[in-house]
Amino acid sequence: MEPIDDYSLATGDGGAPRLRLVDQAYGVGTRRLLERAGLALGQRVADVGCGIGTVTRWMAARVGSGGRVFGVDVNAEQLEAARRASEDQGQGQGHENLEYIEASAYATGLPRGSLDLVYCRFLLMHLTRPIDALREMRALLRPGGVLVCEEAAVDSSACEPPCAAQVRLQSLATALGAQLGCDFNLGRRLHSLMLEAGFASPETTQHQPVFVRGQNKRLEELCFREIAPRLVAARLATAVEVDEALDQVSQTVANETVAYSLSNMVQVWAKV
């Protein structure tokens, strides 16, 4: 198996609450995008970097019993959580039309030219070689197949009125990504990367959720909390500085007079 990139967030059960919030916050936009890109009954599709399988399971329901969905992730903890959730919903490993595969985004092991649609969300920004992952996903598509990608720009999140601690943690997160060899603002380059990967005419749009209350408003705070030890270990800030900033962000999230815009999600799709 290919070497694992240094993923900075929690995985498995530890990261499941955050990943559920990801889908609650961005899921409506994701489902509209996949339908617009042509997801349909009977298709063979893959969800690369599937995490705990939230989108994977939805796609399996959409393609129906005549289709097939492959959930691909390099992290065994993520896949174990995905399998448990699938079994709870009657979609176990190898059961009906859904299969989970432990593999790298750079080398999925899936047959070339065999899929109608390949999808990823919040994947490329965590990779040191995103263009290689895009080329791998392109190779999986049959002629006329479509690649659908969603990637954010971390530094596009914002509070109104502004919160200095949120801006500080946002900056630290971006710096951590750079240390890891990743681009946590990759969403802005996604269209260009698709062109570089060989797609002639990518389509693009964007989706930015805004919340004033509720658990979804906590999504970025949970991300900051999960990477906090990495920020300190990387000597980007002290533990005291990070804790103080997290406390201020938590207070901001709880304040219903503050509108919290999560990271802008850039959505790009293209046919082979």
Side-chain angles (χ1 to χ4, degrees), residues 17 30 34 38 48 64 70-71 80 93 102 115 127 149 158 164 180 185 196 201 209 214 230 237 245 248 270:
T30 291
L34 286 167
V48 181
F70 302 94
E80 181 57 31
Q93 168 74 13
E102 184 177 348
L115 301 179
L127 301 181
C149 301
L180 296 175
N185 298 314
E196 187 179 345
S201 303
R230 301 295 299 272
Q248 291 175 42

Side-chain angles (χ1 to χ4, degrees), residues 191-202:
H191 182 266
S192 295
L193 287 172
M194 293 279 274
L195 290 169
E196 187 179 345
F199 293 92
S201 303

Side-chain angles (χ1 to χ4, degrees), residues 5-6 43 53 69 82 86 97 102 112 114 184 202 221 224 254:
D5 287 296
D6 193 3
Q43 289 184 334
V69 176
S86 293
N97 66 344
E102 184 177 348
R112 274 25 189 172
S114 65
F184 287 171
E221 178 194 352
F224 289 150

Side-chain angles (χ1 to χ4, degrees), residues 118-186:
V118 177
Y119 170 75
C120 68
R121 179 174 73 184
F122 284 133
L123 168 68
L124 303 174
M125 65 191 296
H126 294 287
L127 301 181
T128 57
R129 294 155 43 208
I131 191 66
D132 290 341
L134 284 172
R135 287 170 176 154
E136 166 69 10
M137 289 186 278
R138 186 181 191 279
L140 302 179
L141 293 167
R142 63 165 180 78
V146 60
L147 177 61
V148 183
C149 301
E150 295 188 281
E151 294 292 335
V154 168
D155 67 5
S156 64
S157 62
C159 298
E160 182 56 46
C163 170
Q166 183 267 340
V167 175
R168 171 64 171 154
L169 288 170
Q170 181 188 83
S171 176
L172 291 173
T174 299
L176 176 63
Q179 279 200 15
L180 296 175
C182 305
D183 180 5
F184 287 171
N185 298 314
L186 182 141

Side-chain angles (χ1 to χ4, degrees), residues 160-161 211-213 217 251-260:
E160 182 56 46
F211 300 100
V212 294
R213 65 184 61 85
K217 193 179 178 183
Q251 292 172 27
T252 298
V253 169
N255 186 346
E256 294 189 3
T257 70
V258 176
Y260 205 125

